[in-house]
Amino acid sequence: MSKEHYENEDDKILEGLKQKPWSEIRSNDSWVIFKVMSEFVNGFESMARIGPCVSIFGSARTKSSDKYYQLAERIAEKISKAGYGVITGGGPGIMEAGNKGAAKGMSPSVGLNIELPFEQHFNPYIDQDKNLNFDYFFVRKVMFVKYSQGFVVMPGGFGTLDEMFEAITLIQTKKIAKFPIILVGTEFWGGLMDWIKTVLIEKYFNASPEDLKLIKLVDTEDEVLEVIDTFYKKYNLSPNF
């Protein structure tokens, strides 16, 4: 039963639990490997030519009238005019705002799109040759992390949390360099930061106080750019100019 023939969630679960012949499993899984490889190769070849970028994460459900959509647009424009490329998930909401702001600047506006059963479609503000499509979340996440020199995290849902904690985990475990992670919106992120400090760290000792230093909490586009510029100057790096 192919995915387009599932009539409801129960059918999908039953299909996943059904015993299949080993020959069928081996054949299907082998072809998946080639599909994954092709997505990695295409992603690496496309992204390697772009230069220093900042990833902007956030909800696909945010309306253009929302203050965080408008703030994300201003942040992306300021980042782009400073010479840093902007990477988003390529869809609507905060992602659209990020690409829209980047398009007003002079640096690349990149979209890493993925096909989802709802809410996802690519937005019109991505550079024509920088709109990449993925079937696999884990391949897409590799592109975000490998080609980003900073992460701006706007208010979002489970997907945004997933992307944010992935970046924090990879930095914490020294799998990637200590690039800045900037949470935008004290009223949105303040409760989470308090929970991390008082519960995760101080009560249960499940993280180190040093880990909090990986995260900056800000409210304005000027603060975002200041954090990114400070990082670049510290390491004598420069953006795309």
Side-chain angles (χ1 to χ4, degrees):
M1 180 182 292
S2 62
K3 62 181 181 180
E4 61 268 20
H5 291 150
Y6 296 135
E7 293 185 2
N8 54 55
E9 194 64 25
D10 290 341
D11 287 341
K12 187 174 181 180
I13 292 172
L14 291 171
E15 176 69 12
L17 294 173
K18 185 168 62 177
Q19 291 290 328
K20 300 176 182 177
W22 167 241
S23 59
E24 180 182 339
I25 295 172
R26 183 175 58 186
S27 175
N28 290 342
D29 288 355
S30 296
W31 281 110
V32 168
I33 291 172
F34 289 107
K35 173 62 176 173
V36 169
M37 287 175 58
S38 71
E39 289 202 356
F40 272 121
V41 170
N42 182 56
F44 288 156
E45 289 183 348
S46 299
M47 297 298 294
R49 297 191 294 267
I50 293 173
C53 286
V54 174
S55 283
I56 297 180
F57 300 136
S59 176
R61 307 183 190 206
T62 306
K63 305 300 183 184
S64 59
S65 57
D66 188 278
K67 66 177 182 179
Y68 285 116
Y69 180 105
Q70 295 162 12
L71 179 56
E73 184 179 340
R74 295 197 303 271
I75 288 169
E77 181 177 358
K78 205 169 190 72
I79 288 172
S80 183
K81 287 182 175 178
Y84 306 99
V86 171
I87 302 174
T88 80
I94 293 294
M95 295 175 282
E96 177 184 285
N99 289 124
K100 186 177 180 180
K104 294 179 179 179
M106 55 194 76
S107 292
S109 178
V110 184
L112 306 181
N113 214 326
I114 190 163
E115 182 180 349
L116 297 176
F118 64 94
E119 84 182 20
Q120 184 80 0
H121 58 81
F122 73 86
N123 67 71
Y125 301 103
I126 305 167
D127 291 344
Q128 189 172 5
D129 61 336
K130 297 178 178 65
N131 183 22
L132 280 70
N133 290 290
F134 297 90
D135 285 329
Y136 300 98
F137 263 113
F138 65 91
V139 179
R140 180 179 181 242
K141 287 166 72 175
V142 168
M143 302 304 150
F144 270 124
V145 172
K146 182 175 176 58
Y147 294 101
S148 294
Q149 284 81 48
F151 304 91
V152 175
V153 190
M154 305 296 297
F158 291 126
T160 301
L161 291 170
D162 176 48
E163 291 158 342
M164 178 186 74
F165 281 115
E166 170 110 354
I168 292 172
T169 301
L170 291 171
I171 293 173
Q172 178 201 45
T173 54
K174 303 185 188 308
K175 294 298 183 182
I176 63 173
K178 197 177 290 186
F179 296 120
I181 297 174
I182 308 165
L183 307 189
V184 181
T186 303
E187 66 176 1
F188 186 89
W189 296 111
L192 176 63
M193 293 298 291
D194 289 342
W195 177 82
I196 290 174
K197 181 177 184 294
T198 59
V199 179
L200 196 66
I201 295 175
E202 294 177 356
K203 184 175 182 179
Y204 289 98
F205 310 105
N206 287 334
S208 165
E210 289 295 308
D211 295 333
L212 276 180
K213 296 179 181 179
L214 301 174
I215 308 167
K216 302 291 185 183
L217 184 58
V218 306
D219 285 300
T220 69
E221 60 267 32
D222 290 336
E223 290 175 298
V224 171
L225 187 60
E226 181 182 0
V227 171
I228 295 171
D229 275 345
T230 299
F231 169 81
Y232 270 74
K233 289 173 183 176
K234 178 180 178 181
Y235 293 99
N236 197 28
L237 300 172
S238 61
N240 287 318
F241 292 155

